[in-house]
C-alpha cells in the first residue's frame, strides 16, 4: 500500500506478459457497504477494494452506527441496521476525495430523521453537487449546499413519490435518487437519456428491493426491509484499463487479467480499444451475484485512430486518461467528443492529461468536450505530476512504459485511491517501475 507521498520511476522497454488480478470493483464496493448497512441482518463481502475512496465509505458507515468487521483487507462482515436504524453521527461525515460516496450518501441521508453534514477534501469541495441536490430537493429533501458544492447540510424531511428525467446519463445521479426512493412515500422513477452503470439496480434486486426497469425508466417502490447480501466483488474494469493499455502498447506474450467485471455498462473501454484495432478476448465468462465476470486476454497490437463519442463516452468515462495515452501511439487521428464530464472529475482530466503528456513530448489538442490526437507520437521521459488524481497518475506511469528514457511521476500516492498495489502489479508483468 502507498501510505506516504510517493514518486514513481518508470523505465522504458521490456515486454509485458503474465497473469494478474486487479482490485475489487470500486463502484460495487461502495454500494455493498451502503446497502449492507441498510439491510436487516449480516452482509458478507469478499473481494472488497481496500482503497482510499472505499475506506472512506467504510468509515462513513461506522460513523452512522454500523458495525463493520474487516477480517482481512478484502473480506468484510457488515451488521446491517435496517432502513431506519442509522444513528446520528458525532460530526460531519468526511467523504475525503470520494465523489461516489458523497453523491450516493446524500440520497440516503436525505431520508433520515436526524440532521447530517457531508464534507470532504478541498478537491472534493470543488466538484459539482447540484446534479444530485436539485432532484432531491424536488422530492422534498431539505439540503443546503455551499455554492453548489460541499459541504452539504441535510435536515430531516419527508420524501415523496417522484419522477426525474435526467438531463445527462449519470450512474451517480441515478443511484442517489433511487437510494432516496427507499425512504419516499411512493414509487420513485428515474428516466435515463442513455446508458449508465446499473450496479445499483442489480444490487437493489439482490437485497429484495422492488425495482423495475422498463426501457429507460428505472423505478424503486419503497418497502419496509431489505435483505442482507452475500457477495463476491469482481475486479474493477476501470482498474484493468491500465494494464490493458500497457499490454497493448508493450506486451510480449499475452497478458491475462483474471476475474474482471464485464457488466455491459462498464465495457466501453474494451469496445473502444477493439475499434482501434486491439485484440482483446473475453474467456471463462460466468455470472457472480448478478454481475457478469470474465478473464481478459490481450496481446500487443498496432492501434489506429478512431472517432469516439455517443454512448461509448458514458460507458468508458473513467478510462479516458488511459485512452489518451493509447491515442498517442495509434496511427492516425483519434477524436473524442461529448466527454465534457471529464472536466469535473477529481481534476479537469482533459486539461491535466494534455498538460502532463505534453511534458513527455505529446501533441494533444484540447477541445471543450474532448480532445484530438494524431499519432503515433514519440514520447520522451520527463517529470510529470499526478495532481492528486489516481487515474491521471496511473496513466502517466503507463505512458512512461513507452517513452524514451526515465519518466518520473510525482504525487503518485493517490494511486491508492482505487488501485492499491498498482506498481507491484505492473512489475509482476515485467515492467520497470519502482
Amino acid at each position: 500500500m502507498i501510505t506516504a507521498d510517493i514518486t514513481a520511476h518508470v523505465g522504458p522497454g521490456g515486454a509485458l506478459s503474465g497473469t494478474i488480478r486487479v482490485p475489487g470493483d470500486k463502484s460495487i464496493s461502495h454500494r455493498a457497504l451502503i446497502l449492507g448497512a441498510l439491510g436487516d441482518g449480516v452482509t458478507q463481502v469478499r473481494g472488497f477494494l481496500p482503497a482510499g475512496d472505499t475506506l472512506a465509505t467504510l468509515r462513513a458507515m461506522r460513523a452512522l452506527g454500523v458495525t463493520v468487521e474487516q477480517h482481512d483487507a478484502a473480506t468484510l462482515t457488515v451488521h446491517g441496521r435496517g432502513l431506519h436504524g442509522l444513528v446520528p453521527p458525532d460530526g460531519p461525515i468526511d467523504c475525503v476525495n470520494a465523489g461516489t460516496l458523497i453523491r450516493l450518501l446524500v440520497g440516503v441521508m436525505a431520508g433520515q430523521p436526524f440532521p447530517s453534514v457531508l464534507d470532504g477534501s478541498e478537491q472534493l469541495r470543488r466538484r459539482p453537487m447540484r446534479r444530485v441536490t436539485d432532484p432531491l430537493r424536488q422530492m422534498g429533501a431539505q439540503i443546503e449546499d455551499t455554492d453548489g458544492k460541499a459541504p452539504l447540510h441535510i435536515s430531516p424531511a419527508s420524501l415523496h413519490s417522484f419522477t426525474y428525467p435526467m438531463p445527462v446519463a449519470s450512474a451517480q445521479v441515478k443511484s442517489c435518487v433511487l437510494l432516496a426512493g427507499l425512504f419516499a412515500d411512493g414509487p420513485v422513477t428515474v428516466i435515463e437519456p442513455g446508458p449508465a452503470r446499473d450496479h445499483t439496480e442489480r444490487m437493489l434486486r439482490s437485497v429484495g428491493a422492488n425495482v423495475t426497469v422498463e426501457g429507460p425508466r428505472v423505478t424503486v417502490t419503497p418497502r419496509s426491509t431489505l435483505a442482507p447480501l452475500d457477495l463476491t466483488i469482481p475486479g474493477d474494469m476501470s482498474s484493468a484499463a491500465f494494464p490493458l493499455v500497457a499490454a497493448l502498447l508493450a506486451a510480449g506474450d499475452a497478458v491475462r487479467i483474471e476475474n474482471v467485471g464485464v457488466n455491459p455498462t462498464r465495457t466501453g473501454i474494451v469496445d473502444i480499444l477493439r475499434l482501434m484495432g486491439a485484440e482483446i478476448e473475453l474467456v471463462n465468462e460466468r455470472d457472480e451475484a448478478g454481475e457478469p465476470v470474465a478473464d481478459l486476454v490481450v496481446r500487443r497490437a498496432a492501434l489506429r485512430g478512431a472517432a469516439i463519442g455517443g454512448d461509448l463516452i458514458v460507458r468508458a468515462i473513467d478510462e479516458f486518461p488511459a485512452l489518451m495515452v493509447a491515442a498517442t501511439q495509434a496511427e492516425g487521428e483519434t477524436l473524442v467528443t461529448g466527454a465534457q464530464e471529464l472536466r469535473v472529475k477529481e481534476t479537469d482530466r482533459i486539461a491535466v492529461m494534455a498538460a502532463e503528456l505534453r511534458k513527455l513530448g505529446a501533441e494533444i489538442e484540447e477541445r471543450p468536450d474532448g480532445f484530438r490526437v494524431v499519432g503515433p507520437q514519440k514520447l520522451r521521459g520527463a517529470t510529470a505530476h499526478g495532481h492528486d488524481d489516481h487515474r491521471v497518475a496511473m496513466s502517466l506511469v503507463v505512458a512512461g512504459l513507452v517513452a524514451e528514457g526515465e519518466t518520473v511521476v510525482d504525487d503518485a500516492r493517490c494511486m491508492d485511491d482505487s488501485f492499491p498495489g498498482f506498481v507491484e502489479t505492473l512489475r509482476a508483468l515485467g515492467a520497470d517501475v519502482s
Side-chain angles (χ1 to χ4, degrees):
M1 296 275 288
I2 300 170
T3 56
D5 287 341
I6 292 292
T7 296
H9 296 258
V10 189
L16 306 187
S17 62
T19 299
I20 58 169
R21 289 198 171 201
V22 296
D25 188 283
K26 186 154 74 86
S27 296
I28 299 176
S29 293
H30 282 301
R31 288 159 172 81
L33 276 170
I34 292 171
L35 287 176
L38 297 176
D40 280 308
V42 178
T43 282
Q44 303 290 351
V45 180
R46 297 166 296 278
F48 174 76
L49 170 66
D53 283 5
T54 48
L55 290 174
T57 300
L58 188 154
R59 292 191 295 270
M61 295 304 101
R62 285 175 171 164
L64 293 166
V66 180
T67 298
V68 183
E69 301 173 63
Q70 193 165 17
H71 305 290
D72 57 42
T75 307
L76 307 178
T77 298
V78 183
H79 296 267
R81 297 188 63 93
L83 280 168
H84 305 288
L86 301 180
V87 302
D90 291 337
I93 295 176
D94 184 4
C95 299
V96 198
N97 281 352
T100 298
L101 169 58
I102 193 169
R103 290 186 179 131
L104 269 58
L105 190 56
V106 67
V108 174
M109 303 314 295
Q112 300 306 311
F114 52 82
S116 59
V117 178
L118 305 183
D119 202 357
S121 66
E122 286 303 314
Q123 182 197 82
L124 188 70
R125 285 184 170 193
R126 293 193 295 268
R127 301 184 70 178
M129 293 295 150
R130 285 192 179 151
R131 57 182 59 185
V132 289
T133 59
D134 282 351
L136 291 176
R137 290 189 187 106
Q138 293 175 50
M139 289 179 69
Q142 299 294 316
I143 304 172
E144 294 181 13
D145 56 43
T146 307
D147 295 325
K149 300 178 175 65
L152 306 178
H153 296 260
I154 307 158
S155 300
S158 297
L159 305 183
H160 53 71
S161 183
F162 176 59
T163 296
Y164 183 56
M166 293 199 302
V168 296
S170 167
Q172 291 180 356
V173 175
K174 174 175 63 172
S175 299
C176 172
V177 174
L178 293 176
L179 289 171
L182 297 173
F183 304 94
D185 62 7
V188 169
T189 298
V190 173
I191 303 174
E192 299 186 87
R197 297 179 184 184
D198 63 356
H199 300 304
T200 298
E201 300 96 293
R202 290 173 183 260
M203 200 173 294
L204 281 169
R205 288 195 194 98
S206 295
V207 298
N210 295 319
V211 178
T212 59
V213 179
E214 298 174 340
R217 301 174 66 91
V218 184
T219 301
V220 61
T221 301
R223 56 172 299 168
S224 58
T225 61
L226 299 178
L229 285 161
D230 191 335
L231 176 66
T232 299
I233 298 173
D236 196 322
M237 179 62 79
S238 294
S239 294
F242 301 98
L244 191 62
V245 170
L248 285 170
L249 302 182
D253 296 328
V255 169
R256 186 178 184 123
I257 310 173
E258 294 183 325
N259 197 50
V260 180
V262 289
N263 182 311
T265 65
R266 298 288 300 280
T267 52
I269 175 70
V270 174
D271 293 338
I272 290 170
L273 289 171
R274 284 173 170 168
L275 183 66
M276 297 174 72
E279 294 183 13
I280 303 170
E281 185 181 3
L282 273 60
V283 300
N284 192 23
E285 295 185 61
R286 56 204 185 276
D287 189 272
E288 293 186 6
E291 291 280 350
V293 179
D295 298 350
L296 308 181
V297 178
V298 58
R299 297 171 177 82
R300 186 168 186 163
L303 300 181
R304 58 180 179 270
I308 302 164
D311 291 347
L312 284 174
I313 300 297
V314 178
R315 294 175 53 232
I317 193 66
D318 285 333
E319 291 77 70
F320 275 95
L323 281 167
M324 190 179 287
V325 176
T328 68
Q329 303 307 299
E331 180 74 35
E333 178 188 75
T334 296
L335 179 63
V336 173
T337 57
Q340 56 270 20
E341 175 72 12
L342 289 170
R343 294 199 179 273
V344 290
K345 290 290 187 177
E346 282 82 340
T347 58
D348 178 341
R349 285 179 172 161
I350 295 173
V352 167
M353 281 299 302
E356 295 303 320
L357 286 175
R358 286 183 190 119
K359 294 177 182 177
L360 276 66
E363 295 184 8
I364 297 170
E365 177 189 337
E366 277 190 61
R367 298 194 172 185
D369 66 340
F371 55 88
R372 176 178 179 269
V373 180
V374 178
Q377 300 183 11
K378 187 171 292 187
L379 302 182
R380 302 181 301 275
T383 298
H385 198 279
H387 291 267
D388 199 23
D389 186 329
H390 50 125
R391 302 202 197 279
V392 168
M394 288 187 284
S395 297
L396 294 171
V397 169
V398 172
L401 296 176
V402 293
E404 294 181 353
E406 184 184 60
T407 297
V408 176
V409 182
D410 290 333
D411 190 26
R413 173 197 53 79
C414 57
M415 296 190 293
D416 247 12
D417 284 354
S418 64
F419 200 147
F422 175 65
V423 166
E424 292 80 1
T425 299
L426 287 184
R427 289 178 69 178
L429 293 174
D432 180 7
V433 186
S434 61

